Amino acid sequence: MSSKNIYVEGLNEIPTPMKKVEIVERKGIGHPDSVSDALAEEVSKSLCRMYRKEFGHVLHHNTDETQIAAGEAAPRFGGGTVIDPVFILLVGRATTHVGEGKDMKSLPCKPTALKAATDYLTKTFPNLDVDSQVILDAKLGMGSDDLTGVYKTSGVLANDTSFGVGYAPYSITDRLTLQTEEYVNGAMKKKLKETGQDVKVMCSRVDNKITMTIACAMVDKYIPDPAHYKSVVEEMYDLVTDNALKIIGSEKVDYKLEINTGDNYDNGVYYLTCTGLSQEMGDDGSVGRGNRCNGLITPYRPMSMEATSGKNPITHIGKIYNVMSKLIAEEVAEKVTNEAEIRVRLLSQIGKPVSEPLNASVQIVLPNAESDPHLASWKSDAEGVAEYWLDNVDKVSDMIIDGKVRTF
């Protein structure tokens, strides 16, 4: 054990990618939960920049309670109508003023939040008219003394007794899930503008057979009739399959794809939307109900229930330790055999230094890990990696503020 309570162990267990069954999900950038995550994170980053400009450092805030209440729409082939706008409420705590009496300085937290949210929606969702199809509001109140107080002490102290979780490396199931959504909402859009941003990818692996199910909202104004809709689905099938085969490469995987399985052409059921987003009518959204900070939902891996997006990147363990756990796991995985699964868990205590966790657990998972002759050197490497990142908490915070790591 190190002075930072780092515990490294070999675990005799079959790594998840070698087990019979694996399920991985990703809610795409247009899913209401992902939109909530994104807005919460954009608001937090904007507040960080505003605080740094005004005071040279980040002040207390957390904006991880953004809520989306679905609107009402009437999509139809050739173009429908949004009847009732979606309502988005940016909720959280922020340092809204500094000082007291005549020395008190009020800060533009709400305008900063609203601008960040508006800019993100406008930039990311080209089929959404933010002015007429969204009602946006913000409720950012002053934080309580016991939480803002951790900023008033020397050093960076944890504002919660909580934990973060990470694992590495990605399995082929992980990579197919993540990279498929990124492709559908990235390069594929140049070829199929009919596809919206609300995309969900679910992969089920049984032995070496992976079944991928994609739900993709279609934008009605680009689709004149049912025949065109069907042709779009068919072309999307071919494009996604080609991209998936590139991801799979030489790995021995039996791949199957199904798209919009809820459609029923005989009964006239199609996944049509006006904006490419189901929040226009079908789904509400909340921060933390979707992807973890590695971009995935992985029921066969250790996960934290903490919402990473929107929490402040200086003292909030629910963000820092989740991101740091992932960074530690990835670096350890690079230093040991690629057959191993690396699991990392970091636990804090409120009011204690973020750099000194109560428990930093690194597990090296292999069927015969404890008897592997390389385990001693692996343990040393893993402890060194964990200690480095714990000594560089500020580097993790900067990566988050600068948008160099994902939170959903």
Side-chain angles (χ1 to χ4, degrees), residues 165-301:
V165 176
Y167 73 86
Y170 283 156
S171 67
I172 182 59
T173 318
D174 292 330
R175 289 190 284 113
L176 269 174
T177 305
L178 180 62
Q179 293 176 29
T180 293
E181 187 275 333
E182 291 176 336
Y183 170 70
V184 171
N185 272 323
M188 198 194 79
K189 286 289 185 283
K190 298 176 182 178
K191 299 179 179 180
L192 283 178
K193 66 179 180 180
E194 295 93 334
T195 58
Q197 280 73 32
D198 195 336
V199 177
K200 178 154 75 168
V201 180
M202 182 79 73
C203 282
S204 165
R205 179 184 61 77
V206 180
D207 294 322
N208 70 335
K209 181 178 180 179
I210 294 179
T211 300
M212 176 185 290
T213 306
I214 297 179
C216 179
M218 300 295 178
V219 184
D220 59 3
K221 64 183 178 182
Y222 302 126
I223 304 177
D225 51 48
H228 189 96
Y229 181 98
K230 295 175 186 177
S231 72
V232 170
V233 173
E234 290 169 0
E235 186 174 356
M236 181 178 174
Y237 181 95
D238 292 339
L239 291 170
V240 170
T241 298
D242 288 345
N243 187 68
L245 293 177
K246 293 175 184 177
I247 298 169
I248 292 169
S250 61
E251 297 205 36
K252 296 179 180 179
V253 173
D254 181 6
Y255 170 79
K256 178 184 178 182
L257 170 64
E258 296 185 87
I259 298 174
N260 287 0
T261 56
D263 288 348
N264 188 320
Y265 297 161
D266 292 337
N267 293 332
V269 178
Y270 304 89
Y271 191 2
L272 277 182
T273 65
C274 299
T275 62
L277 305 170
S278 68
Q279 67 185 31
E280 71 182 33
M281 185 169 183
D283 290 324
D284 303 319
S286 299
V287 177
R289 294 183 64 237
N291 311 317
R292 303 300 91 187
C293 75
N294 65 349
L296 299 169
I297 301 167
T298 52
Y300 281 74
R301 306 275 197 165

Side-chain angles (χ1 to χ4, degrees), residues 338-349:
N338 59 11
E339 296 294 317
E341 176 182 359
I342 308 302
R343 301 172 185 168
V344 177
R345 300 171 178 88
L346 303 175
L347 172 65
S348 70
Q349 283 183 308

Side-chain angles (χ1 to χ4, degrees), residues 87-160:
F87 180 74
I88 300 176
L89 183 61
L90 309 172
V91 182
R93 301 290 97 187
T95 303
T96 58
H97 57 268
V98 175
E100 297 179 357
K102 294 180 180 179
D103 295 326
M104 186 176 74
K105 180 175 182 178
S106 297
L107 301 171
C109 294
K110 185 171 179 178
T112 298
L114 291 171
K115 185 179 187 308
T118 300
D119 288 350
Y120 178 83
L121 293 171
T122 302
K123 175 185 68 176
T124 310
F125 306 119
N127 298 299
L128 177 69
D129 186 331
V130 178
D131 292 331
S132 66
Q133 296 173 342
V134 175
I135 298 173
L136 187 62
D137 198 3
K139 298 293 183 183
L140 301 176
M142 190 73 177
S144 61
D145 288 342
D146 60 327
L147 295 179
T148 57
V150 296
Y151 281 88
K152 302 173 183 177
T153 58
S154 59
V156 179
L157 306 182
N159 78 337
D160 195 5

